[in-house]
């Protein structure tokens, strides 16, 4: 073979090299690896009328291991009645409440407020809201069965859209995911915390809560009164 | 017989020798500058979107958590562009008459998704997974730039493979614990940064860098800390640079 190579003359070499160059130019630059003929999440597919490559499973499909057989856990209702306590599978723990707080802050606090008073940032900005977001600190919601909150997260309520597509339903609850119930538990914790009679606590505990001592309140009131007087006695400047 | 070459010939020959080397080198460098520049990589170039969505408004001014819209970022490969329904969960109530939001309302009525222009894209032979990066506390802005400052979103990094490998070769330089609560899950600290910044908390230098998405500069102490974290979290450094970590 080498003997044969030696017999190739110089001009043959030129031909070979230029042929390789042409071959490289013809094939060297293609993008079929960058844009592959596959569909991934949120891709386009003109085959379907809505242009989406993502398709939903046929209604009624149950994925392996995701049978929702526990009514209380997956709907918040047993025999059509809202459950008043957390489902048996949900264990209240510090971790659950912390998870609930985190998820509540992400998904709920914009409207319902960090303290659950319905004065979130959207509520403050939505000047024309005909139905403002609910405060959790009303008698109606304080007495509401817990299943109600689960149902509202899952399906929406009134003008509130469902949040279920983004908050874990607890289908993989064995793996410790139960974000909706974590939020429900946290809402109840918020309600308890805001409706607690703090007067029974010791002065130290009250201080921790940021409740000013009585003499401080008196002093503060006197201060604001004095300020009001000072403001009132000022000569009014010309209005525009 | 007169001299054929004048005295200047020496200079000419030196200059031409220099040019013989410098010109090709210059041409290569110019080519490199073009391929790394924004014209090629789109870094820093806001794209026209069907709706002029402002991350600055929603993240910094309103304080909405990333995960309200990019809900799958912690659990799956894709952060996900939010569905029209996600937009409408607020915009069915506020800015309901804004003409800017017309494409959103139309999409909600017809069920045809809005066609956003993709800003951050890796080639399809790269299998990037958001969830593991979030789980190890890599900040959004490290790859996406200072998103809280972007009115119209632009690309923060050029996503060259070399850039990916900078971290995959030496993850200890990029890992850090939450300076406010070292025992806390590192996952949450990336998202906390935005609200800390919004409410004017004093950020530590490392937090600033991560928030601004600027090039990281490392102190020896930090690298030592990072090495501890690599061990603690079981980051398999050798595997990180295997081909099949990102390609299949």
């Amino acid at each position: 073979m080498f003997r044969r190579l030696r017999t190739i003359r110089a001009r043959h070499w030129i031909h070979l090299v230029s042929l390789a160059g042409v071959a490289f130019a013809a094939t060297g630059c293609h993008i079929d690896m960058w844009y592959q003929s596959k569909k991934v999440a949120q891709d386009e597919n003109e085959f379907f009328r809505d242009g989406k490559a993502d398709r939903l499973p046929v209604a009624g499909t149950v994925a392996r291991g995701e049978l929702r057989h526990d009514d209380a856990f997956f709907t918040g209702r047993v025999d059509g009645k809202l459950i008043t306590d957390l489902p048996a599978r949900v264990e209240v723990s510090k971790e659950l409440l912390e998870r609930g707080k985190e998820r509540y802050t992400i998904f709920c606090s914009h409207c319902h407020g960090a303290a659950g008073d319905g004065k979130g940032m959207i509520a403050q900005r939505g000047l024309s809201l005909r139905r403002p977001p609910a405060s959790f600190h009303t008698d109606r919601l304080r007495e509401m069965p817990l299943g109600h909150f689960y149902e509202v997260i899952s399906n929406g309520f009134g003008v509130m859209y469902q949040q279920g597509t983004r908050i874990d339903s607890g289908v993989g609850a064995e793996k410790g995911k139960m974000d909706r119930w974590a939020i429900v538990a946290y809402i109840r914790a918020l309600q308890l915390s805001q409706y607690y009679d703090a007067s029974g606590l010791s002065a130290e505990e009250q201080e921790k809560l940021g409740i000013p001592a009585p003499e401080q309140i008196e002093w503060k009131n006197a201060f604001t009164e004095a300020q009001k007087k000072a403001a009132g006695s000022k000569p009014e400047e010309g209005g525009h | 017989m007169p001299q054929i070459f004048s005295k200047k010939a020496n200079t000419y020959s030196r200059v031409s020798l220099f040019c013989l080397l410098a010109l090709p080198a210059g041409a290569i460098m110019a080519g490199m500058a073009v391929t790394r520049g924004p014209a090629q990589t789109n870094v820093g170039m806001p794209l026209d979107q069907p709706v002029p969505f402002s991350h600055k408004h929603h993240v910094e001014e309103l304080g909405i958590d990333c995960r309200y819209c990019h809900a799958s970022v912690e659990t799956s490969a894709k952060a996900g562009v939010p569905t029209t329904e996600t937009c409408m969960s607020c915009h069915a109530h506020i800015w309901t008459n804004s003409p800017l939001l017309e494409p959103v309302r139309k999409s909600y009525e017809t069920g045809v998704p809005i066609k956003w222009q993709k800003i951050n894209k890796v080639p399809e032979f790269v299998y990037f997974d958001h969830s593991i990066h979030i789980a190890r506390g890599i900040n959004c802005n490290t790859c996406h730039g200072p998103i809280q400052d972007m009115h119209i979103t632009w690309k923060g990094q050029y996503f060259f493979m070399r850039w990916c490998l900078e971290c995959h070769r030496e993850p200890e330089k990029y890992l850090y614990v939450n300076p406010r609560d070292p025992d806390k899950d590192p996952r949450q600290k990336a998202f906390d940064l935005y609200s800390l910044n919004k409410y004017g908390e004093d950020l530590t230098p490392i937090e600033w860098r991560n928030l601004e998405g600027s090039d990281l500069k490392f102190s020896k102490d930090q690298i030592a800390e990072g090495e501890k974290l690599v061990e603690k979290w079981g980051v398999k450094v050798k595997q990180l640079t295997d081909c099949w970590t990102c390609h299949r």
Side-chain angles (χ1 to χ4, degrees):
Chain A
M1 192 189 165
F2 292 110
R3 225 175 265 166
R4 201 193 142 93
L5 268 179
R6 250 178 257 146
T7 58
I8 298 176
R9 287 183 195 160
R11 66 190 166 94
H12 288 135
W13 275 113
I14 292 167
H15 286 166
L16 276 177
V17 169
S18 54
L19 194 69
V22 169
F24 182 77
T27 59
C29 209
H30 51 116
I31 54 167
D32 58 348
M33 289 290 279
W34 287 66
Y35 300 98
Q36 301 175 1
S37 54
K38 67 178 179 188
K39 295 292 175 199
V40 293
Q42 300 195 320
D43 266 355
E44 250 184 285
N45 191 347
E46 286 170 8
F47 181 78
F48 298 104
R49 190 169 293 169
D50 56 9
K52 287 191 277 193
D54 306 340
R55 309 315 301 172
L56 289 169
V58 178
T61 309
V62 177
R64 240 165 211 269
E66 294 190 1
L67 179 64
R68 302 181 177 209
H69 49 79
D70 185 344
D71 278 356
F73 189 81
F74 289 111
T75 64
R77 282 176 188 268
V78 174
D79 301 330
K81 275 190 178 172
L82 291 168
I83 53 171
T84 49
D85 210 348
L86 289 172
R89 283 158 77 175
V90 184
E91 235 176 83
V92 181
S93 61
K94 199 179 169 214
E95 285 79 43
L96 185 84
L97 286 176
E98 274 177 356
R99 178 79 182 171
K101 182 183 178 186
E102 187 190 299
R103 296 289 120 175
Y104 178 90
T105 311
I106 298 170
F107 293 108
C108 318
S109 64
H110 315 304
C111 291
H112 291 288
D117 52 7
K119 289 179 185 155
M121 162 271 305
I122 299 289
Q124 286 172 26
R125 287 185 159 247
L127 300 174
S128 59
L129 287 185
R130 255 171 281 159
R131 287 191 64 182
S135 162
F136 295 122
H137 312 303
T138 57
D139 286 340
R140 184 180 78 89
L141 285 181
R142 265 194 292 266
E143 284 154 22
M144 195 57 93
L146 285 180
H148 170 75
F149 298 107
Y150 183 92
E151 203 173 77
V152 172
I153 295 170
S154 312
N155 307 326
F157 185 82
V159 294
M160 174 183 152
Y161 279 43
Q162 59 84 13
Q163 309 291 319
T165 45
R166 276 168 290 140
I167 307 177
D168 210 293
S169 64
V171 170
E174 284 74 24
K175 288 174 259 165
K177 286 195 229 160
M178 40 181 84
D179 287 352
R180 290 186 208 171
W181 283 114
I183 292 175
V184 170
Y186 183 68
I187 289 174
R188 190 46 40 108
L190 268 182
Q191 288 177 329
L192 293 173
S193 76
Q194 300 290 311
Y195 196 54
Y196 189 76
D197 186 10
S199 59
L201 294 175
S202 69
E204 258 179 62
E205 283 167 327
Q206 289 197 13
E207 206 187 318
K208 266 189 192 170
L209 283 173
I211 300 169
E215 62 269 20
Q216 268 179 319
I217 295 177
E218 262 170 44
W219 179 83
K220 209 176 171 186
N221 286 346
F223 180 73
T224 42
E225 282 293 309
Q227 265 191 327
K228 267 184 201 166
K229 267 186 196 169
S233 64
K234 264 186 198 168
E236 275 193 23
E237 285 165 23
H240 294 279
Chain B
M1 191 181 164
Q3 292 279 347
I4 298 173
F5 297 108
S6 69
K7 273 189 179 172
K8 281 182 188 164
N10 275 347
T11 321
Y12 286 142
S13 64
R14 277 189 195 120
V15 169
S16 39
L17 268 178
F18 174 76
C19 287
L20 204 68
L21 293 173
L23 283 181
I28 290 171
M29 277 160 77
M32 285 164 77
V34 168
T35 53
R36 282 156 179 73
Q40 181 70 20
T41 59
N42 275 345
V43 170
M45 310 252 286
L47 298 185
D48 272 341
Q49 300 287 4
V51 182
F53 177 84
S54 167
H55 273 98
K56 185 179 173 69
H57 176 63
H58 289 83
V59 176
E60 181 146 293
E61 291 164 20
L62 300 183
I64 297 177
D65 195 285
C66 309
R67 293 162 289 182
Y68 185 79
C69 305
H70 304 292
S72 61
V73 71
E74 290 179 326
T75 49
S76 84
K78 300 258 174 185
V81 178
T83 59
T84 304
E85 195 176 10
T86 307
C87 308
M88 289 296 281
S89 61
C90 291
H91 286 296
H93 312 305
I94 58 175
W95 292 106
T96 46
N97 294 322
S98 167
L100 294 176
L101 291 171
E102 186 53 36
V104 181
R105 291 190 291 267
K106 198 179 159 201
S107 161
Y108 190 66
E109 271 166 32
T110 58
V112 179
I114 304 169
K115 280 192 195 175
W116 299 97
Q117 292 232 49
K118 217 164 161 106
I119 307 270
N120 296 288
K121 184 163 172 59
V122 287
E124 288 180 4
F125 51 79
V126 178
Y127 293 81
F128 179 82
D129 193 322
H130 275 92
S131 63
I132 183 61
H133 291 87
I134 295 290
R136 292 286 176 260
I138 302 296
N139 290 62
C140 315
N141 292 6
T142 305
C143 306
H144 294 298
I147 200 87
Q148 77 284 359
D149 287 338
M150 297 183 195
H151 268 306
I152 302 292
T153 314
W154 39 268
K155 194 175 169 184
Q157 289 288 350
Y158 48 51
F159 290 176
F160 287 166
M161 181 170 159
R162 185 194 69 194
W163 171 80
C164 302
L165 285 174
E166 274 172 24
C167 181
H168 272 221
R169 285 190 177 126
E170 298 172 306
E172 65 275 7
K173 288 187 173 178
Y174 295 84
L175 300 176
Y176 70 102
V177 289
N178 189 345
R180 283 150 216 284
D181 192 353
D183 297 328
K184 212 174 167 187
D185 190 352
R187 179 177 54 84
Q188 182 65 20
K189 74 176 191 287
F191 305 105
D192 285 344
L193 265 188
Y194 301 105
S195 52
L196 290 173
N197 181 44
K198 176 176 156 65
Y199 295 111
E201 295 276 336
D202 286 333
L203 298 184
T204 60
I206 193 168
E207 286 179 324
W208 264 121
R209 279 200 325 253
N210 278 294
L211 190 70
E212 287 172 349
S214 53
D215 283 341
L216 305 178
K217 292 190 185 67
F218 319 98
S219 64
K220 273 185 184 167
D221 291 346
Q222 191 208 321
I223 295 174
E225 280 290 306
E227 274 165 356
K228 274 184 215 158
L229 288 178
V230 166
E231 227 163 83
K232 189 178 163 196
W233 293 340
V235 180
K236 300 181 183 95
V237 183
K238 280 182 185 166
Q239 278 183 23
L240 277 184
T241 47
D242 278 337
C243 306
W244 49 260
T245 301
C246 310
H247 310 292
R248 288 175 195 164

